[in-house]
Amino acid sequence: MPTNFTVVPVKDGTRKAKEGDEEDDVDDNNALKEEEEDTTGDGVPKENSPFINNTDNDKGNSYDGTNMALFEEEMDSNPMVSSLLNKLANYTNLTQGAQEHEEADDDEGPKKKAVKSPQMGTFMGVYLPCLQNILGVILFLRLTWIVGTAGIMESLAIVGLCCSCTMLTAISMSAIATNGVVPAGGSYYMISRSLGPEFGGAVGLCFYLGTTFAGSMYILGTIEILLTYIVPKAAIFIAERKEDEVDALLNNMRVYGTCCLALMSIVVFVGVKYVNKLALVFLACVILSILAIYAGVIKTIFEPPDFPVCMLGNRTLQNHGFDKCSKLEVIGNLTVTTKLWQLFCDGPELNATCNEFFVNNNVTEVQGIPGLTSGVISENMWSEYGPLAMLVENKKLSSVGASDPATDIYLPYVVNDITTFFTLLVGIYFPSVTGIMAGSNRSGDLRDAQKSIPIGTILAIATTSFIYVTCVVLFGGCIEGVLLRDKFGDSVKGNLVIGTLSWPSPWVIVIGSFFSCCGAGLQSLTGAPRLLQAIARDGIVPFLQVFGHGKANGEPTWALLLTAGICEIGILIASLDAVAPILSMFFLMCYLFVNLACAVQTLLRTPNWRPRFKYYHWALSFLGMSLCLALMFISSWYYAIVAMAIATCIYKYIEYRGAEKEWGDGIRGLSLNAARYALIRLEEAPPHTKNWRPQLLVLLNLDSDQVVKHPRLLSFTTQLKAGKGLTIVGNVLEGTYLTKDAESKRAEQNIKSVMTAERTKGFCHVVVSSNLRDGFSHLIQSAGLGGMKHNSVLMAWPGNWKQSNDPQSWKNFIETVRETTAAHQALLVAKNVDSFPTNQDRLGEGTIDVWWVVHDGGMLMLLPFLLRQHKVWRKCKMRIFTVAQMDDNSIQMKKDLQMFLYHLRLDAEVEVVEMHDNDISAFTYEKTLVMEQRSQMLKQMQLSRTEREREAQLIHDRNTASHAAINDKADTVPDRVHMTWTKEKLFTERNRNREGNANVAVRDLFNMKPNQSNVRRMHTAIKLNEVVVNKSQGAHLVLLNMPGPPKNRGGDENYMEFLEVLLEGLNRVLLVRGGGREVITIYS
């Protein structure tokens, strides 16, 4: 729907009066801003955008009014609409810092030229460049041969497939190109910003390789035209035998191709501006050549050209070594043999021994170009595929005798130089429809890229498709089939086959195609290095950084050298028919991802997806993508696999080593959609026991410098999780978020860096809370999202809780235990966590001992199994100990436990430990008594601290009151002085008041009797500790049921003491407290 804008002028009545004062403020603001770097808050360079955060040049105009004073503090980040519109009007999509080559040469003077705004329209900027890039070498050198070999019908199918592919891709590309301003960078920019840096880098490099191999193909086409049709005598390698002709041609192509490549590279290096200026000349050659073909076709209706093809029986002969198509000729009254006779016989005599087929068959001539009205179109309708060295024959003509391959290879027959089949021809033909990106690559030079790119590209594809379809039909309707299948024109004295059809002379096509191939080769060598330079400067592929540098004027010198080196590989292959499928793969892969990008963006319906080009649909993009994929495997399945492998390797490399980029790409949106869908599905039902795995919330402690205290906790997490499931690493900072914002970000960065170092895959969550207890409570309650919430909490044992002056540390620990129990979450507490193995350690033969005292869901059995999946613990054996009471049958318990483990599919040794009901020892009483006395003393110390604070407040109040009294009485009674409290008096008074209480307290401590419940708990802790230490002191890890905290909070400190006694003498211990649900099952 249309949107109406109304601009309301605001009058500033007080502006002039305030001008003098505000100028100083503006200058100060500007001076401060000049010192700031052009970066965002996270250190990422700002986008070159005309929108928010790009108001540096307009700040002087933003503050000099009072009508908008309400918003003046936000001017730094939110510009005024007037300055935004002004910047938008002056925005140019030319790359910042880049300069045209002409300008680079002319900028030596004292004054630089102003950068011209882009002025190219649709016709000159998009249509003609696309036309020039699409029409080229395949049209002139191979299209006639494709028509003769595949027939008109299958040739139309090939053309239809390839042109449909490029048309669908052009529609997708138009949608992407019109979705906002496309800076100079074309297809690479579009794909990388739509699909992300991994896909962008992979497809960008594939497109670069395709463009580079296209340069090889054009150079090979240039040399083929030169050596076959213009100056055949320039060949360095000359075949002495007919069977060596192919090898000689390939060697000549290699030598001349390398020289041509070196020459073109020098031209590109020295004078790129001349290449750009000659582009129109090269395009003119292409257009003139095509017009000459159409003119020749029209002329065949009235007067077909005379290009006879010599036939022996039904076999086509190479017309090189003879001038007359006959066996004998009459000179005077004397019958003599011709040069053709001498090619098939062992001498010029009439009685010489001749080839049997030559003797039995007549020599005839057929017109190579019978004309459009001759009806030859019906003969060329169907395909004539065949193997290597198959003779080119005319099925209409009769022949006597069969072929003999052993002798035929040495005779001047026209034969297939390669094995032909439909899919091969698709691969050879496809490069003739590439080049549709030429318009988008010039987006920086267009007056209105969003209008020009769709119209120009689609019109160019429609025009070239029409040319290809009409050429297929006209070639099949005008030219004899044997001549069409004669790839190099050997049967018409080495003329270019398409040249025999043209008017006024075959040389029009030969010269036109030669310059066309030269120009296309130069354009490829010009474009490919710039594409590589753009990828290198994006910084997503670290090893390509060197190719981002160039000459002072921006010329990509190093990229040109690499391009020339890769191009040389294609030239050493030397066969145009072998190079064409290679570049087909890379272009098809690029087109595939353009279609994918459009489809993904359309289906995701991201808010930023608003293309001006409306004639697109996700189904068309998917069809184009499917067609690209099909064409890749149709052309050459093994090349397709190689191209995909290269792209995959680049993708994984960028993912592993590449720079982190956030481009708002569609793949990220796709991931978000997939994550949302999966989370909603997970929300529907809790996970089955078979799918249960510990989803960990790791509670970390940081020191005062925000450094992680126990990094081995993260190592243990990695070993337990092995990258599977959910891991949330949490931390709590004490304070308010407004004051601790920067500190929390620093803490988060530190935790993430430790997570990376310890290879912990997961998420980091730092919470700022008024106190630590509430913060940990918030984490336990709210960490995670939907079905992806933690079900287990991992934390370190507070090792120095006894030495701590603040009892809040161990109280927080106990409250965390209580809250995990209330939340039905499992709890893992690692004691002596700093002695746990790192990820680089490899524990030798040893054991993981599980002490199964009570059953709380089976986590004790599951954890060792998960740990042993990691290479650190792989060699450790699992032992399970269970405790039998006096009335238990320990032998039966062992058998039952072994059967249970068998059904659980766990390998472990089983041992039942008997604990007898011994009398409680004096040591236990003494231990309990010391614990309770210590607890009582701490309570009294806490009480005395409270008293001290109360006394200090009382003294302060009295002091204040005494001063007030002195001031009031100073005038009336100057000789009386009211004494205030001194330090000595304070101590004397306090000690006198507390002496009595202290004596009572000490007397109570020594007369205490231990609580019987505590004595029993201490007895259990000591006896169990004795058994565990006896059996498991040498174990690599001990897993033990964690007893729950007392319901009465008064005994919290005693609970810590019990746990301390239970774990005494053990090195690595993991206390495990189940979450109240079964986590392991015997069922499949």
Side-chain angles (χ1 to χ4, degrees):
M1 71 185 263
T3 306
N4 297 323
F5 289 101
T6 305
V7 180
V8 181
V10 180
K11 294 183 180 178
D12 187 1
T14 59
R15 176 174 180 176
K16 294 195 176 180
K18 298 269 185 180
E19 224 169 50
D21 296 333
E22 293 192 358
E23 272 179 4
D24 297 336
D25 295 339
V26 174
D27 291 341
D28 291 342
N29 279 318
N30 286 337
L32 287 170
K33 288 295 170 186
E34 280 172 6
E35 295 175 7
E36 292 183 5
E37 291 185 8
D38 190 21
T39 57
T40 56
D42 54 0
V44 180
K46 291 180 182 176
E47 290 281 339
N48 175 29
S49 166
F51 302 106
I52 292 175
N53 295 332
N54 202 10
T55 59
D56 295 345
N57 298 328
D58 304 311
K59 283 175 185 163
N61 301 324
S62 301
Y63 292 87
D64 54 355
T66 55
N67 289 307
M68 294 297 162
L70 188 60
F71 300 96
E72 67 183 7
E73 290 185 0
E74 299 176 6
M75 292 294 181
D76 289 344
S77 57
N78 303 331
M80 291 287 292
V81 173
S82 56
S83 62
L84 167 66
L85 294 176
N86 179 47
K87 218 162 167 45
L88 190 58
N90 297 327
Y91 178 64
T92 170
N93 55 7
L94 283 173
T95 309
Q96 294 297 314
Q99 45 185 342
E100 295 296 323
H101 311 302
E102 291 82 356
E103 291 171 12
D105 295 339
D106 298 338
D107 281 349
E108 304 298 329
K111 194 173 181 181
K112 292 189 177 182
K113 287 184 179 180
V115 177
K116 294 179 181 177
S117 59
Q119 289 300 323
M120 297 184 81
T122 304
F123 186 73
M124 289 295 291
V126 181
Y127 181 75
L128 289 183
C130 283
L131 215 61
Q132 181 188 356
N133 278 267
I134 295 171
L135 300 170
V137 61
I138 301 295
L139 170 64
F140 300 122
L141 295 184
R142 292 291 181 269
L143 191 57
T144 52
W145 173 72
I146 289 171
V147 172
T149 307
I152 294 173
M153 296 304 292
E154 289 185 28
S155 297
L156 287 174
I158 292 171
V159 172
L161 270 175
C162 296
C163 291
S164 301
C165 175
T166 53
M167 182 60 84
L168 291 170
T169 304
I171 291 170
S172 299
M173 186 188 73
S174 299
I176 298 171
T178 57
N179 186 49
V181 178
V182 179
S187 55
Y188 162 69
Y189 183 91
M190 288 191 293
I191 296 168
S192 61
R193 269 56 176 180
S194 296
L195 292 180
E198 292 89 359
F199 277 110
V203 180
L205 284 173
C206 283
F207 190 57
Y208 163 73
L209 290 172
T211 309
T212 305
F213 276 106
S216 300
M217 186 186 75
Y218 290 127
I219 291 172
L220 289 174
T222 303
I223 302 304
E224 186 176 313
I225 293 167
L226 180 73
L227 293 180
T228 310
Y229 306 114
I230 299 178
V231 279
K233 292 180 181 178
I236 298 171
F237 299 93
I238 299 169
E240 295 179 359
R241 297 179 302 170
K242 184 174 181 293
E243 61 268 28
D244 295 333
E245 285 180 356
V246 174
D247 291 335
L249 176 63
L250 293 181
N251 286 330
N252 284 318
M253 300 277 274
R254 291 183 181 109
V255 173
Y256 277 96
T258 303
C259 296
C260 184
L261 172 63
L263 186 65
M264 285 186 176
S265 301
I266 292 169
V267 170
V268 170
F269 179 75
V270 173
V272 154
K273 58 183 179 182
Y274 302 114
V275 176
N276 293 331
K277 287 176 180 176
L278 286 171
L280 280 176
V281 176
F282 297 137
L283 178 62
C285 293
V286 176
I287 294 172
L288 284 174
S289 302
I290 291 169
L291 292 175
I293 294 167
Y294 283 117
V297 168
I298 295 169
K299 185 174 179 289
T300 61
I301 300 172
F302 313 107
E303 186 185 345
D306 183 30
F307 280 100
V309 177
C310 190
M311 310 290 295
L312 176 62
N314 63 353
R315 300 179 183 179
T316 312
L317 297 177
Q318 292 185 356
N319 195 348
H320 288 309
F322 59 93
D323 49 359
K324 289 191 177 180
C325 185
S326 61
K327 296 180 181 180
L328 305 170
E329 63 177 333
V330 179
I331 299 176
N333 291 324
L334 191 63
T335 302
V336 295
T337 58
T338 62
K339 290 181 180 179
L340 179 60
W341 177 284
Q342 294 172 29
L343 293 172
F344 284 89
C345 301
D346 57 7
E349 301 83 12
L350 288 170
N351 59 353
T353 305
C354 296
N355 177 268
E356 185 182 351
F357 191 85
F358 180 74
V359 173
N360 295 335
N361 290 277
N362 294 324
V363 176
T364 56
E365 276 190 347
V366 297
Q367 269 302 325
I369 300 177
L372 200 57
T373 55
S374 63
V376 76
I377 189 169
S378 59
E379 299 168 19
N380 293 330
M381 199 63 72
W382 309 110
S383 60
E384 290 280 350
Y385 300 119
L388 173 68
M390 186 188 85
L391 299 170
V392 176
E393 298 176 338
N394 188 334
K395 302 296 184 185
K396 288 190 305 178
L397 301 177
S398 60
S399 63
V400 179
S403 61
D404 180 11
T407 57
D408 291 347
I409 193 171
Y410 302 105
L411 298 173
Y413 295 126
V414 176
V415 295
N416 282 0
D417 66 328
I418 55 173
T419 302
T420 54
F421 42 90
F422 178 79
T423 57
L424 172 81
L425 298 186
V426 173
I428 292 173
Y429 173 75
F430 188 80
S432 66
V433 296
T434 60
I436 61 172
M437 301 285 189
S440 64
N441 288 344
R442 292 164 178 255
S443 55
D445 303 325
L446 300 173
R447 189 185 307 119
D448 185 358
Q450 297 194 9
K451 178 184 175 185
S452 298
I453 289 175
I455 296 172
T457 306
I458 291 172
L459 275 179
I461 293 173
T463 306
T464 51
S465 300
F466 173 78
I467 291 171
Y468 284 131
V469 169
T470 53
C471 281
V472 166
V473 175
L474 294 177
F475 291 164
C478 292
I479 304 174
E480 180 63 46
V482 290
L483 181 56
L484 283 173
R485 295 198 297 281
D486 182 5
K487 185 187 285 185
F488 300 108
D490 291 322
S491 60
V492 284
K493 299 185 183 297
N495 276 301
L496 183 61
V497 175
I498 198 171
T500 59
L501 183 62
S502 65
W503 179 88
S505 165
W507 284 101
V508 175
I509 295 283
V510 172
I511 301 301
S513 60
F514 177 78
F515 282 114
S516 166
C517 290
C518 279
L522 283 169
Q523 292 284 352
S524 296
L525 286 178
T526 305
R530 278 157 182 72
L531 180 59
L532 182 63
Q533 187 182 42
I535 298 169
R537 284 182 173 174
D538 255 345
I540 57 173
V541 187
F543 71 84
L544 289 181
Q545 299 269 342
V546 66
F547 299 108
H549 308 300
K551 293 196 293 187
N553 62 350
E555 283 300 312
T557 311
W558 294 106
L560 177 60
L561 285 174
L562 180 67
T563 304
I566 297 172
C567 205
E568 178 64 17
I569 295 171
I571 286 166
L572 292 176
I573 294 172
S575 169
L576 190 139
D577 301 320
V579 172
I582 296 175
L583 66 104
S584 295
M585 289 307 120
F586 291 122
F587 277 120
L588 277 166
M589 185 166 287
C590 179
Y591 297 166
L592 183 150
F593 281 104
V594 169
N595 285 300
L596 176 64
C598 181
V600 166
Q601 298 276 33
T602 307
L603 288 174
L604 287 178
R605 296 177 183 174
T606 49
N608 190 50
W609 180 246
R610 304 184 299 275
R612 287 192 177 278
F613 180 79
K614 299 298 180 187
Y615 306 101
Y616 69 93
H617 194 270
W618 64 265
L620 290 177
S621 298
F622 265 117
L623 180 61
M625 189 176 72
S626 307
L627 201 52
C628 289
L629 193 62
L631 282 173
M632 285 177 71
F633 282 93
I634 286 172
S635 302
S636 174
W637 63 268
Y638 45 90
Y639 277 155
I641 290 171
V642 170
M644 286 180 167
I646 291 172
T648 304
C649 290
I650 297 166
Y651 178 95
K652 297 306 289 183
Y653 176 81
I654 295 171
E655 187 180 55
Y656 180 65
R657 291 289 305 276
E660 295 270 339
K661 297 283 181 182
E662 178 50 72
W663 286 333
D665 50 87
I667 292 296
R668 186 171 177 80
L670 192 63
S671 302
L672 286 169
N673 262 25
R676 182 187 63 86
Y677 175 76
L679 284 170
I680 290 171
R681 290 291 303 274
L682 280 174
E683 191 78 15
E684 291 175 2
H688 192 271
T689 304
K690 289 185 288 187
N691 295 327
W692 195 95
R693 64 165 64 245
Q695 317 285 16
L696 288 181
L697 168 63
V698 184
L699 298 179
L700 279 185
N701 289 325
L702 304 183
D703 60 18
S704 56
D705 296 327
Q706 311 305 327
V707 177
V708 176
K709 279 186 181 177
H710 304 295
R712 295 286 177 88
L713 202 61
L714 292 176
S715 305
F716 183 70
T717 305
T718 304
Q719 294 153 23
L720 185 62
K721 300 289 291 176
K724 304 292 191 299
L726 175 71
T727 302
I728 303 171
V729 181
N731 174 251
V732 177
L733 294 179
E734 206 165 356
T736 61
Y737 186 70
L738 291 177
T739 58
K740 296 275 186 176
D741 178 26
E743 207 171 318
S744 70
K745 282 190 169 60
R746 189 165 72 252
E748 192 169 333
Q749 286 301 319
N750 290 346
I751 293 173
K752 283 181 178 176
S753 63
V754 176
M755 287 174 70
T756 304
E758 299 295 341
R759 299 177 186 171
T760 306
K761 295 181 180 177
F763 309 98
C764 178
H765 197 173
V766 176
V767 170
V768 181
S769 178
S770 57
N771 59 70
L772 293 177
R773 182 182 175 282
D774 288 349
F776 285 124
S777 177
H778 295 155
L779 277 174
I780 291 168
Q781 291 177 64
S782 62
L785 180 66
M788 283 296 280
K789 287 184 72 70
H790 61 280
N791 54 28
S792 309
V793 176
L794 173 63
M795 60 193 300
W797 171 259
N800 58 346
W801 69 275
K802 281 188 176 181
Q803 292 76 31
S804 175
N805 293 325
D806 183 13
Q808 203 59 42
S809 60
W810 54 264
K811 285 185 177 179
N812 287 340
F813 172 79
I814 295 174
E815 289 304 314
T816 304
V817 176
R818 285 195 175 101
E819 286 182 352
T820 54
T821 306
H824 302 291
Q825 293 172 6
L827 177 65
L828 312 177
V829 179
K831 189 196 177 196
N832 296 335
V833 70
D834 293 328
S835 68
F836 276 50
T838 65
N839 292 324
Q840 287 72 39
D841 292 340
R842 299 291 179 268
L843 297 178
E845 298 293 333
T847 60
I848 300 175
D849 288 357
V850 177
W851 283 85
W852 191 21
V853 181
V854 294
H855 178 65
D856 54 1
M859 264 199 85
L860 280 169
M861 264 77 75
L862 186 62
L863 291 175
F865 170 75
L866 294 174
L867 277 176
R868 289 176 63 209
Q869 306 299 308
H870 197 276
K871 47 196 168 189
V872 172
W873 302 89
R874 193 162 291 159
K875 292 183 180 178
C876 296
K877 291 181 180 177
M878 180 175 162
R879 294 195 301 179
I880 295 186
F881 297 88
T882 189
V883 177
Q885 302 300 323
M886 281 297 293
D887 53 349
D888 292 329
N889 184 343
S890 57
I891 297 173
Q892 188 61 40
M893 275 182 71
K894 185 171 182 177
K895 286 182 180 177
D896 292 344
L897 182 54
Q898 285 172 336
M899 182 58 67
F900 181 57
L901 291 176
Y902 175 77
H903 286 308
L904 287 176
R905 289 93 62 203
L906 294 175
D907 296 323
E909 295 177 18
V910 174
E911 192 169 337
V912 177
V913 178
E914 294 182 355
M915 284 185 67
H916 303 291
D917 283 341
N918 296 336
D919 291 336
I920 297 173
S921 65
F923 173 74
T924 304
Y925 273 106
E926 183 185 348
K927 190 98 173 166
T928 310
L929 187 58
V930 169
M931 176 186 76
E932 291 186 350
Q933 286 175 347
R934 180 178 180 277
S935 178
Q936 193 66 29
M937 284 175 67
L938 284 171
K939 284 178 182 175
Q940 289 179 8
M941 285 170 64
Q942 184 68 21
L943 184 63
S944 62
R945 188 182 298 121
T946 309
E947 285 177 358
R948 282 200 303 271
E949 289 171 0
R950 194 181 297 122
E951 284 177 5
Q953 185 63 42
L954 180 62
I955 292 164
H956 177 266
D957 294 343
R958 287 177 180 176
N959 201 6
T960 308
S962 64
H963 277 293
I966 289 169
N967 292 335
D968 289 339
K969 297 177 181 179
D971 297 332
T972 56
V973 193
D975 57 333
R976 290 187 64 189
V977 179
H978 186 85
M979 297 295 293
T980 62
W981 284 84
T982 64
K983 189 175 182 181
E984 290 77 10
K985 288 182 75 175
L986 163 65
F987 282 113
T988 306
E989 183 69 20
R990 187 179 64 185
N991 292 337
R992 192 175 61 202
N993 290 337
R994 292 173 62 192
E995 247 175 26
N997 294 336
N999 292 332
V1000 172
V1002 170
R1003 213 167 33 247
D1004 288 347
L1005 278 176
F1006 284 108
N1007 293 333
M1008 277 181 69
K1009 287 187 178 180
N1011 181 293
Q1012 287 304 309
S1013 174
N1014 287 343
V1015 171
R1016 283 187 290 105
R1017 287 191 174 93
M1018 182 64 77
H1019 175 69
T1020 305
I1022 290 173
K1023 296 303 291 181
L1024 191 55
N1025 174 258
E1026 285 176 3
V1027 176
V1028 174
V1029 169
N1030 182 39
K1031 296 284 186 181
S1032 300
Q1033 194 164 20
H1036 286 315
L1037 180 65
V1038 177
L1039 281 85
L1040 190 64
N1041 283 114
M1042 182 178 185
K1047 292 180 181 177
N1048 177 18
R1049 281 179 166 76
D1052 281 358
E1053 190 186 359
N1054 297 338
Y1055 171 70
M1056 294 295 290
E1057 195 73 52
F1058 295 144
L1059 291 182
E1060 193 73 60
V1061 170
L1062 181 63
L1063 304 178
E1064 193 175 352
L1066 297 172
N1067 183 20
R1068 298 180 190 135
V1069 185
L1070 188 67
L1071 288 172
V1072 180
R1073 184 164 174 76
R1077 62 161 292 167
E1078 291 291 334
V1079 300
I1080 193 166
T1081 177
I1082 63 174
Y1083 299 106
S1084 61

